[in-house]
Amino acid sequence: MCGIVGYIGKSPAPSILISGLRRLEYRGYDSAGMAVLEDGSIIVTKSPGKVASLQEKARAEWPSERFENASTGIAHTRWATHGPPTELNAHPHLDETGAIALVHNGIIENYRPLRARLENKGHHFVSETDTEVLSHLIGESYKGDLFQAVCDALHQVEGTFGIAVISAKEPGKIITARRGSPIVIGVGDGETIVASDASAIISHTRQVIYLEDNDIAVVTANDVEIRDLDQVPVTREIAELGYDSGATEKGGFEHFMLKEIHEQPESLANAIRGRLDFNLGTSVLSGMGTSARDLSEIQRVVFLGCGTSLHAGLVGEYAFEDLADIHAEVEQAAEFRYRNPIISRSDLVVAISQSGETADTLAAVREANQKGAFVMGLCNVVGSTIARETGRGIYLHAGPEISVASTKAFTCQVVVMLMMALKMGRSRRFSREEGIKLAREIERVPELVEKTIQQSDKIAEIAARYAQCEHAFFIGRGYLYPVALEGALKLKEISYIHAEGYHAAELKHGPIALLQEGTPVIALATDIAGKDKTLGNVEECRARGARILGVITEGDKEAAEFMDDVIEVPACHPLVSTIPTAVALQILSYHIAHARGCEIDQPRNLAKSVTVE
Ligand code: F6R
């Protein structure tokens, strides 16, 4: 989704803004722009396409001294919502006088009537965006105090916003505000950076302030003053970012996705560290925030998420039912928020979100809170909106996930849910010995994943045989059904191959009609309950000419007989096997996309953090 960077300080703003935008590229975007204050005026450069094009354009248009002299500016990467990704629609947008520039993430829902009113008053709009209305509103409200004008304008808009505003009439400050779209302020030494995401800040400072909804701040090079929209001063603590800038770089890997796949043994170890209790055979997850007694009173667990996080929730559903003997459900967050879900105080609602900013998941959290459920977050990004709004939860500790295609967040989500189910299971159902046994299996996860990653070259060879296909089907049963869905999502999003995940039994209820000679079917058939049935389904596919790639347990000769190609994952507990199996599919998708020459880290049309519904 869109990204914001603002800079005010002692260094040339344009180069800092450009490098900040580059760090936000992973979020997904299709145009970029920046505005800087220089010599009493605002200079704007915008470009469709990549940040590199914006940089070239700025260098061509601006004499180098203008680059050097500007020390205040704002910049943006836009992921088109209202109007196509053209230069005119790119941010920043100016007000009627051209003295005020604004960048905006989010959606102004009432922009049509506001635009009509402003047009009647003689305002001229140059773009199709909702955002331009806000810059004109600020200009219209301006009576010599930019802060006041932004407050007045924001009172008139409905929807979501994270904004940064500068004015030629008030140099030396940036006004920034948020509602439903994150803003982080990096507090440096004689410089301040405003951004929608800490990765644009980390190379300057680790001291950050997270704005809360309806906060508005005046930011100067040496100070940050925060109020609410009614101008009442508020205090926000300075937090320290828990990683350094190296974590957001490729570190010698060709793509972030590959780096993040390889990071999984470490990120999983971080997610597990200190959370398993081998003495009591349980897990230590203080973020669940409930006593053993409270846990035993929980009647139902509802997992909420979107995309990959939804698939992780599906694994959680199986884990909670099987290990903790508790009724569990998974809901698409986007559906949950618009239904009238039946939720009670004995429900535990777990919102799963890598970014902690996904609009649909956030809205679902608010709905569950309204209904009095016990809500907790499972987020990766520390200080993210969902993490803060749930007030309790468990961080994944996967480290920054930059690649649009989620890998390490998924496996960390699953391992954390296994630990949650272990804790629930121990308080409701199983013995210390059973708990210890499962804890030992969970402890092995980093090693199991490491062994799977070691097969990367072999998987690359197999991938080459499937790289030119147009369609692919992923099938699995039980615990491996969600992994089949996730495998298909991974393949389609980065390789653009049409891929579908199905329950192995479901294939013959329709989709099998699509199988032809050579159609790839990726069959997940590790040693779990239902494997034999899946092998039966594989036979049905083979009979229709499909080419079968099996993911099986290491050394399972019987299963291998059913397959044309096999990827082996180490033997382990059936629920735990979801993790190495998913990793094998991540590696497969990566190599297929690579062989097809796809833009792996920034797939078309996609964004890392989906902050619109
Ligand atoms: C796919 C992917 C997406 C996200 C989804 C939810 O690889 O990354 O499907 O899982 O957009 O994002 P979060 O987890 O940030 O809420």
Side-chain angles (χ1 to χ4, degrees):
M1 290 274 118
C2 310
I4 288 177
V5 194
Y7 177 82
I8 183 160
K10 47 201 176 188
S11 305
S15 36
I16 289 176
L17 294 174
I18 292 284
S19 69
L21 290 184
R22 283 193 188 283
R23 288 187 174 270
L24 297 182
E25 283 191 299
Y26 77 95
R27 295 168 64 96
Y29 70 105
D30 32 41
S31 60
M34 67 175 161
V36 295
L37 283 176
E38 203 262 325
D39 205 15
S41 62
I42 288 185
I43 322 170
V44 179
T45 307
K46 308 201 259 191
S47 167
K50 296 291 174 201
V51 172
S53 319
L54 174 72
Q55 184 175 23
E56 260 172 45
K57 195 159 178 247
R59 287 209 179 280
E61 285 175 0
W62 304 359
S64 59
E65 62 277 13
R66 298 194 87 173
F67 243 88
E68 298 303 318
N69 291 343
S71 57
T72 303
I74 54 177
H76 192 257
T77 45
R78 173 174 184 258
W79 188 80
T81 56
H82 297 64
T86 59
E87 183 169 334
L88 283 180
N89 286 333
H91 301 203
H93 288 288
L94 298 174
D95 75 324
E96 187 68 20
T97 66
I100 293 171
L102 160 89
V103 290
H104 166 229
N105 287 358
I107 289 183
I108 307 298
E109 283 163 6
N110 59 339
Y111 83 101
R112 285 179 191 278
L114 288 172
R115 180 167 171 151
R117 176 171 74 69
L118 289 163
E119 277 173 339
N120 280 339
K121 290 173 94 176
H123 285 251
H124 302 88
F125 288 84
V126 296
S127 79
E128 295 159 76
T129 64
D130 52 329
T131 300
E132 196 182 2
V133 163
L134 187 50
S135 53
H136 279 250
L137 270 184
I138 296 171
E140 194 200 31
S141 308
Y142 187 75
K143 309 273 180 313
D145 181 345
L146 185 62
F147 181 81
Q148 181 70 53
V150 176
C151 277
D152 290 348
L154 291 178
H155 275 297
Q156 298 176 57
V157 299
E158 288 161 20
T160 53
F161 52 79
I163 57 167
V165 187
I166 53 172
S167 168
K169 294 184 184 142
E170 297 185 37
K173 69 171 75 152
I174 298 173
I175 308 291
T176 181
R178 76 158 273 171
R179 181 190 293 154
S181 203
I183 291 286
V184 194
I185 301 172
V187 183
D189 178 15
E191 60 182 4
T192 312
I193 303 113
V194 173
S196 52
D197 177 328
S199 26
I201 293 178
I202 187 76
S203 58
H204 298 272
T205 174
R206 291 172 69 168
Q207 308 293 310
V208 294
I209 299 171
Y210 295 97
L211 290 194
E212 306 266 339
D213 272 356
N214 297 314
D215 282 356
I216 172 162
V218 186
V219 171
T220 64
N222 296 302
D223 195 27
V224 178
E225 194 193 322
I226 309 173
R227 292 170 184 258
D228 66 18
L229 282 185
D230 296 321
Q231 309 220 9
V232 179
V234 291
T235 309
R236 304 286 173 231
E237 300 300 319
I238 296 187
E240 174 130 354
L241 291 173
Y243 57 90
D244 59 29
S245 57
T248 59
E249 283 155 13
K250 281 192 204 151
F253 286 91
E254 194 177 345
H255 296 100
F256 279 112
M257 183 181 179
L258 189 61
K259 176 183 176 228
E260 287 159 11
I261 289 172
H262 280 258
E263 277 171 351
Q264 287 177 109
E266 191 188 335
S267 52
L268 286 159
N270 290 339
I272 295 169
R273 186 166 301 117
R275 288 173 164 173
L276 290 172
D277 179 337
F278 296 103
N279 187 29
L280 295 177
T282 185
S283 60
V284 187
L285 296 167
S286 51
M288 276 177 88
T290 42
S291 64
R293 192 183 160 152
D294 292 337
L295 288 182
S296 64
E297 279 166 11
I298 289 170
Q299 301 287 322
R300 187 174 70 138
V301 183
V302 180
F303 296 101
L304 301 172
C306 301
T308 290
S309 295
L310 179 72
H311 297 155
L314 275 162
V315 181
E317 180 184 22
Y318 284 97
F320 271 68
E321 289 193 347
D322 284 4
L323 301 177
D325 223 358
I326 185 166
H327 180 192
E329 282 174 28
V330 194
E331 293 257 9
Q332 282 179 14
E335 196 54 29
F336 182 90
R337 64 178 297 192
Y338 285 117
R339 285 195 297 112
N340 190 10
I342 298 165
I343 292 289
S344 79
R345 285 174 185 277
S346 58
D347 285 337
L348 168 65
V349 173
V350 183
I352 309 170
S353 175
Q354 186 286 128
S355 62
E357 302 294 347
T358 300
D360 285 317
T361 312
L362 177 58
V365 162
R366 289 177 177 158
E367 179 64 25
N369 271 332
Q370 277 291 319
K371 295 217 149 96
F374 185 92
V375 187
M376 60 172 283
L378 215 66
C379 298
N380 192 35
V381 177
V382 176
S384 55
T385 309
I386 293 173
R388 282 181 292 128
E389 288 213 8
T390 48
R392 63 174 84 78
I394 302 169
Y395 280 120
L396 303 179
H397 299 314
E401 190 179 69
I402 305 294
S403 163
V404 166
S406 184
T407 53
K408 60 181 182 169
F410 175 79
T411 50
C412 288
Q413 285 163 345
V414 173
V415 89
V416 168
M417 278 186 293
L418 294 185
M419 290 189 287
M420 287 169 68
L422 168 63
K423 182 173 161 117
M424 283 281 238
R426 269 292 278 139
S427 74
R428 302 166 69 93
R429 191 176 144 231
F430 50 71
S431 66
R432 176 174 172 271
E433 284 63 38
E434 285 173 297
I436 293 173
K437 225 166 133 190
L438 182 59
R440 291 265 173 247
E441 280 292 295
I442 295 174
E443 190 192 24
R444 289 180 63 213
V445 166
E447 166 207 323
L448 299 169
V449 168
E450 183 65 60
K451 283 192 176 148
T452 308
I453 290 172
Q454 281 165 7
Q455 296 182 62
S456 195
D457 289 348
K458 185 183 165 211
I459 299 175
E461 278 169 31
I462 294 172
R465 299 202 270 279
Y466 291 83
Q468 298 318 319
C469 68
E470 290 302 316
H471 308 276
F473 295 89
F474 288 70
I475 59 169
R477 279 170 186 262
Y479 307 147
L480 294 176
Y481 165 55
V483 182
L485 298 181
E486 175 57 11
L489 173 60
K490 219 79 305 165
L491 183 65
K492 76 181 96 173
E493 69 179 326
I494 59 166
S495 74
Y496 313 140
I497 292 171
H498 169 228
E500 299 291 349
Y502 284 103
H503 189 281
E506 199 51 34
L507 210 63
K508 59 181 163 298
H509 296 288
I512 202 164
L514 295 169
L515 298 188
Q516 299 178 48
E517 200 57 41
T519 307
V521 172
I522 294 92
L524 310 186
T526 59
D527 240 333
I528 68 164
K531 180 187 93 176
D532 292 346
K533 303 265 178 225
T534 300
L535 294 179
N537 302 129
V538 165
E539 284 288 31
E540 292 156 11
C541 299
R542 285 173 71 88
R544 278 135 191 109
R547 182 180 177 101
I548 316 288
L549 165 55
V551 182
I552 62 171
T553 302
E554 199 172 0
D556 184 346
K557 293 205 172 62
E558 186 214 339
E561 301 257 299
F562 287 73
M563 316 296 179
D564 294 298
D565 299 290
V566 288
I567 300 172
E568 292 183 321
V569 296
C572 55
H573 183 286
L575 263 167
V576 167
S577 79
T578 54
I579 297 175
T581 306
V583 171
L585 298 183
Q586 294 165 358
I587 298 170
L588 178 74
S589 297
Y590 174 84
H591 287 300
I592 290 180
H594 194 271
R596 289 166 74 93
C598 298
E599 258 192 77
I600 291 173
D601 282 333
Q602 287 157 36
R604 70 181 176 220
N605 302 339
L606 285 173
K608 181 65 186 160
S609 168
V610 182
T611 50
V612 295
E613 52 177 290

